[in-house]
Amino acid sequence: MHIILLDAMPDMVSYNNFLRDNIGAMAYVGNIQSFLVLNQSKAGTAYALELG
């Protein structure tokens, strides 16, 4: 069985503690795979040119 857990944590230490202490401590959990997704709201690749 696969479970997708979407959660927001204030930092990576809190996230790791949550996985280890809450999810990993469950009797039926054999292993945990965690993937970090970063969201970038705006990206700029252009530079302003000063002409003249």
Side-chain angles (χ1 to χ4, degrees), residues 11-24:
D11 55 33
M12 291 305 294
V13 173
S14 298
Y15 178 72
N16 186 51
N17 290 340
F18 173 77
L19 287 180
R20 186 186 65 236
D21 298 340
N22 296 32
I23 305 300

Side-chain angles (χ1 to χ4, degrees), residues 24-42:
M26 295 178 181
Y28 53 85
V29 174
N31 64 27
I32 298 172
Q33 290 184 343
S34 177
F35 300 92
L36 180 64
V37 177
L38 299 176
N39 183 17
Q40 184 175 357
S41 60
K42 182 178 179 182

